Amino acid sequence: MKYYITTPIYYPNSSPHIGTAYTTIAADAMARLRRMKGDEVFFLTGTDENAQKIVRTAEAAGLDPQTYVDGIVEKFKELWRLLDISNDDFIRTTEERHAKVVQQIFTRLYEQGDIYKSEYEGWYCTPCETFWTKNKLVDGRCPNPDCGREVELLKEESYFFRLSKYEQKLLEYIQENPDFIQPASRRNEMVRFIENGLEDLCVSRTTFNWGIKVPFDPKHVVYVWLDALINYISALGYPDGENYEKFWPADVHLIGKDILRFHTIIWPIILMALGIPLPKKVYGHGWFLSREGGKISKSRGNVQDSFELIRRYGSDPIRYFLLREMQAGMDGTYSEDDLVEKLNSDLANDLGNFVSRTLAMIVKYNDGKIPVPGPDTELEAELKNLSSTVGKTVEQKMLDCDPAAALEAIWQFVSQCNKYVDTTAPWNLAKDPAQRERLNTVLYTFAESIRILGIFCAPFMPGVPKKLQPLLGGRDYFRYWDDATRWNVLEPGTVVQKGEPIFPRVDLSQFTEQVQLSEQQDKQSVPEAQPSEAAQMPPLKEEISIDEFAKLDLRVVKVLKAEKVEKTDKLLKLEVEMGGETRTVVSGIAQHYKPEELIGKKVILVANLKPAKLRGILSQGMILAASDQEQLEVLTITKDIPTGAQVK
Ligand code: ME8
């Protein structure tokens, strides 16, 4: 079987971010699974470089567009490398192999009468690279709900593409091929849009010259969307390349919902006009939103440096979090807090602990050797059945472009594995020599479950099998998907290693403290050698004015309740009272105070600090404390000053 999957080609107008990364990671997981199933896979990604907005951004950066995009494209490639993206090709629309196909197609469509010359008078949104008619604008601005920016009036000679001619044919195609536009909710949206009538599309520009020239009329450059969509076949060597023959039509174009219209109207009509088959599926997934609610996007400026995130957590946890968080047909929410929480609960705790504790038991009870198993009981049969159900579910869910559901199924297996440990209680079996054979079966089942988990995780977190391989004796057991539903693969006698935890727990505060410290250090001039006592003192911060200080709202509050935050060593959850109002505050003081020591104390709260979620708890402010590296003391008020009083 062959499998061709694509991502959008991204605009290299700024560095890639988490949202962009989602589509690429999801496509990568699908491609990896199909390869593990033995399919011949072609996985394509790339960059969309001939956009007007690129010209503007490059100008603003004082660079020519080519130099500008060359720099950003390197960042995309580097990010994909760091995130273990296994693309087979990377297409850039400034490459000759692409431009020549676009020119060929443009000429052909012109010659057969599907493209004609006329004059365009209307509006253009450069950030969206979209033409709009006046009646579509909202308050004179871009009607795209995620944009709403200013549009520009264009009046220029242009070529037009006869979308209207194909309206009925496209509608019929969509009705007859329900799988073509997915998820189904998005299909209905597109059908309604087409039924409202398609207007011919302006497909060339004359007011700038960055882009692919219309070969027979070179003062025109081809409209960026017509140019970009063609990448899906130019990369295969259309019209006569070997890969084109082999891989077209694509199995899936995976994209975000923002660009569904281009992919399910303009693109199929280009293909219909050329008389070539349509892609089997266009899947428009939701967006990652920030916790405040807006789409994570370059223009909103709410993106976190992806390279820094990888430095902090590594590629696998980021891949896991993004894939698990975006439920089919919905938007997902991204925050670093939630990422850390998932890493600690699902990866360090559920998966990582299962691996460490079971390997430790093989080491302890059988000198690290995988034993010869005895007969199965119902417990083993149950685990085996589940592994084959999960294997099938994951395959289907990934064909449906739903990695979140696939991971959910895998985590049912993880949880069943943990239950198996608790139910079989090998620590009791080990005490009774009569139970030796049963213990061997259990230890053997542990090792097999680890092998199977390695296969299940491989498409989603390619680092996991690499970590497990040396622990299970060094052989690569993780290449074929179907081996996950086969048992008794490991050879008894194989020596396992306990190793380091495959996913160590992470505390977000370790990074925020690091950042604060390095920011402070950055602000200091190079320090002279200092006397030893002063060297202990953290450097002083920049001077501020009294007005800046006055912005801080410090208040006296009373601690009503205090408890440890589950699964953390450092955090206490406090309930404090301030002039009749109660607030929840999460504070990193658990190593210095028992919860009961704080109850009834009057302490000082930074009351106007923006609330932040820590371990899923909304913390509404911060308690003041003095500390050095070893000790910490919460600042308290000993006189009878009422809560709510200001600290100045
Ligand atoms: O539209 N959540 O490029 P682009 C999820 N060049 N996915 C997101 C996202 C978010 N917050 N932000 C971006 C273009 N994406 C055109 C495509 S294809 C022939 C031309 C992902 O750089 C999502 O896949 O604006 C979205 O469709 C794509 O990035 C847009 O990338």
Side-chain angles (χ1 to χ4, degrees):
M1 294 276 279
K2 64 94 206 164
Y3 184 76
Y4 178 30
I5 181 164
T6 66
T7 72
I9 49 172
Y10 305 104
Y11 292 124
N13 57 337
S14 70
S15 292
H17 56 82
I18 282 298
T20 336
Y22 170 74
T23 319
T24 314
I25 293 171
D28 182 67
M30 293 172 207
R32 282 176 182 273
L33 176 56
R34 293 321 307 169
R35 286 194 202 104
M36 289 176 77
K37 280 294 292 176
D39 286 0
E40 197 172 351
V41 171
F42 198 85
F43 167 24
L44 178 69
T45 188
T47 39
D48 183 0
E49 307 184 13
N50 300 318
Q52 189 181 1
K53 63 174 151 190
I54 302 277
V55 183
R56 301 220 170 138
T57 331
E59 265 168 15
L63 294 171
D64 69 279
Q66 192 67 54
T67 312
Y68 182 78
V69 292
D70 285 350
I72 305 272
V73 167
E74 279 317 304
K75 291 196 179 178
F76 271 89
K77 289 187 171 170
E78 175 65 1
L79 185 68
W80 299 157
R81 192 183 64 71
L82 292 171
L83 284 171
D84 294 302
I85 303 302
S86 63
N87 52 302
D88 296 289
D89 197 354
F90 187 104
I91 183 130
R92 298 184 56 179
T93 55
T94 47
E95 287 170 317
E96 181 52 29
R97 62 167 172 157
H98 173 73
K100 78 171 194 239
V101 177
V102 172
Q103 290 186 325
Q104 209 180 336
I105 290 176
F106 199 98
T107 308
R108 178 163 158 204
L109 295 179
Y110 179 70
E111 285 171 355
Q112 71 188 37
D114 281 320
I115 285 182
Y116 60 92
K117 199 171 187 174
S118 178
E119 178 154 291
Y120 179 73
E121 188 172 352
W123 301 84
Y124 194 74
C125 174
T126 307
C128 296
E129 300 288 358
T130 305
F131 296 97
W132 297 107
T133 50
K134 190 161 188 213
N135 59 355
K136 294 258 166 55
L137 301 182
V138 176
D139 299 332
R141 291 174 160 263
C142 175
N144 174 355
D146 188 53
C147 178
R149 279 169 286 199
E150 270 178 31
V151 287
E152 294 162 52
L153 184 61
L154 303 183
K155 186 170 179 354
E156 56 189 65
E157 179 190 275
S158 290
Y159 285 92
F160 283 81
F161 182 34
R162 288 189 205 281
L163 292 188
S164 51
K165 175 175 153 191
Y166 291 91
E167 191 180 303
Q168 273 318 310
K169 202 170 163 194
L170 179 62
L171 274 176
E172 280 160 26
Y173 186 88
I174 296 173
Q175 305 296 6
E176 283 161 19
N177 296 274
D179 219 28
F180 175 55
I181 306 178
Q182 287 289 330
S185 54
R186 305 255 144 83
R187 178 172 63 234
N188 303 336
E189 210 179 295
M190 288 304 116
V191 168
R192 276 197 301 278
F193 186 88
I194 303 166
E195 282 171 346
N196 277 338
L198 295 180
E199 284 165 24
D200 290 351
L201 175 73
C202 175
V203 286
S204 76
R205 301 287 308 272
T206 52
T207 41
F208 59 94
N209 65 1
W210 172 249
I212 299 173
K213 306 245 173 325
V214 171
F216 51 86
D217 194 354
K219 73 172 191 290
H220 288 257
V221 293
V222 177
Y223 169 48
V224 64
W225 269 103
L226 189 83
D227 152 355
L229 290 160
I230 291 172
N231 91 88
Y232 299 129
I233 53 175
S234 69
L236 297 180
Y238 173 83
D240 50 12
E242 202 184 309
N243 278 338
Y244 175 71
E245 302 287 330
K246 190 191 280 176
F247 289 106
W248 192 258
D251 292 81
V252 194
H253 291 319
L254 188 67
I255 56 171
K257 61 181 181 181
D258 46 332
I259 55 175
L260 205 65
R261 260 204 279 152
F262 301 94
H263 282 78
T264 57
I265 299 175
I266 305 178
W267 182 224
I269 292 181
I270 297 173
L271 294 169
M272 283 175 171
L274 293 173
I276 63 180
L278 269 47
K280 292 182 201 156
K281 190 189 296 198
V282 177
Y283 189 97
H285 62 69
W287 288 337
F288 266 102
L289 309 177
S290 70
R291 218 161 35 194
E292 289 71 37
K295 178 185 174 202
I296 304 260
S297 74
K298 305 168 245 200
S299 54
R300 283 176 189 250
N302 57 0
V303 300
Q304 224 185 337
D305 181 352
S306 336
F307 294 93
E308 175 60 23
L309 280 176
I310 297 172
R311 267 192 294 279
R312 289 183 182 183
Y313 307 109
S315 153
D316 283 345
I318 296 173
R319 290 176 61 114
Y320 176 81
F321 174 76
L322 295 180
L323 295 178
R324 184 85 201 246
E325 206 57 25
M326 181 81 85
Q327 304 293 324
M330 320 236 290
D331 290 331
T333 311
Y334 168 80
S335 81
E336 193 175 354
D337 281 332
D338 294 338
L339 186 148
V340 169
E341 196 172 299
K342 270 268 181 259
L343 194 174
N344 286 337
S345 64
D346 296 11
L347 299 181
N349 217 35
D350 299 346
L351 175 66
N353 265 354
F354 172 75
V355 172
S356 323
R357 67 207 272 235
T358 52
L359 287 173
M361 285 189 260
I362 299 176
V363 169
K364 188 166 172 196
Y365 302 133
N366 206 42
D367 289 336
K369 287 205 190 87
I370 300 180
V372 179
D376 281 354
T377 66
E378 247 176 48
L379 291 176
E380 287 75 35
E382 206 182 332
L383 208 55
K384 290 182 182 182
N385 282 339
L386 185 62
S387 73
S388 76
T389 323
V390 167
K392 289 194 197 95
T393 309
V394 172
E395 271 176 52
Q396 187 53 50
K397 293 294 174 191
M398 292 303 270
L399 289 174
D400 298 343
C401 305
D402 187 359
L407 282 170
E408 199 183 310
I410 296 174
W411 252 252
Q412 276 170 13
F413 184 70
V414 173
S415 133
Q416 188 67 26
C417 287
N418 279 308
K419 259 191 226 143
Y420 177 80
V421 180
D422 298 336
T423 321
T424 53
W427 43 91
N428 291 335
L429 300 174
K431 287 184 204 145
D432 180 359
Q435 296 283 1
R436 185 67 232 187
E437 194 182 42
R438 179 72 194 130
L439 177 65
N440 286 348
T441 309
V442 170
L443 297 181
Y444 186 83
T445 307
F446 287 166
E448 279 285 284
S449 306
I450 296 175
R451 178 184 64 80
I452 287 164
L453 281 169
I455 299 173
F456 280 161
C457 287
F460 307 91
M461 293 181 280
V464 169
K466 288 193 196 125
K467 287 180 187 160
L468 294 181
Q469 190 172 334
L471 305 183
L472 280 190
R475 268 184 46 197
D476 182 1
Y477 297 105
F478 313 99
R479 301 243 295 263
Y480 304 104
W481 186 255
D482 291 348
D483 282 351
T485 45
R486 207 168 281 148
W487 285 70
N488 291 27
V489 169
L490 289 169
E491 268 174 46
T494 307
V495 178
V496 304
Q497 313 281 326
K498 213 175 114 191
E500 297 292 313
I502 60 169
F503 288 109
R505 290 184 68 83
V506 169
D507 193 335
L508 182 55
S509 62
Q510 82 195 60
F511 299 116
T512 37
E513 277 158 21
Q514 266 172 21
V515 172
Q516 279 163 5
L517 200 67
S518 66
E519 276 170 2
Q520 281 167 8
Q521 280 161 353
D522 288 348
K523 284 182 192 140
Q524 293 290 308
S525 51
V526 179
E528 300 276 311
Q530 288 174 350
S532 62
E533 215 190 12
Q536 307 282 320
M537 187 178 94
L540 286 173
K541 293 187 188 170
E542 232 176 289
E543 204 172 78
I544 59 166
S545 67
I546 184 86
D547 293 340
E548 283 170 295
F549 175 72
K551 286 188 187 163
L552 267 181
D553 198 342
L554 304 175
R555 301 288 173 134
V556 175
V557 298
K558 186 171 170 183
V559 180
L560 302 178
K561 280 191 200 155
E563 61 187 50
K564 284 196 81 160
V565 175
E566 264 182 41
K567 297 186 196 161
T568 71
D569 304 328
K570 288 195 180 162
L571 301 181
L572 283 187
K573 178 180 157 191
L574 308 177
E575 206 174 290
V576 299
E577 184 267 327
M578 174 177 70
E581 175 196 339
T582 20
R583 287 198 185 190
T584 304
V585 179
V586 178
S587 183
I589 54 177
Q591 284 167 333
H592 304 275
Y593 286 92
K594 294 201 183 84
E596 57 273 19
E597 284 178 283
L598 289 162
I599 293 171
K601 284 217 159 77
K602 282 188 180 159
V603 300
I604 297 164
L605 178 78
V606 184
N608 61 339
L609 192 67
K610 198 170 172 187
K613 228 185 193 181
L614 287 165
R615 295 295 155 96
I617 305 168
L618 192 68
S619 179
Q620 305 158 295
M622 196 170 84
I623 300 289
L624 294 190
S627 71
D628 65 4
Q629 273 158 4
E630 279 141 34
Q631 305 184 72
L632 179 145
E633 184 169 0
V634 170
L635 303 190
T636 49
I637 300 287
T638 47
K639 285 195 179 170
D640 192 18
I641 296 178
T643 67
Q646 277 192 314
V647 179
K648 291 191 263 194

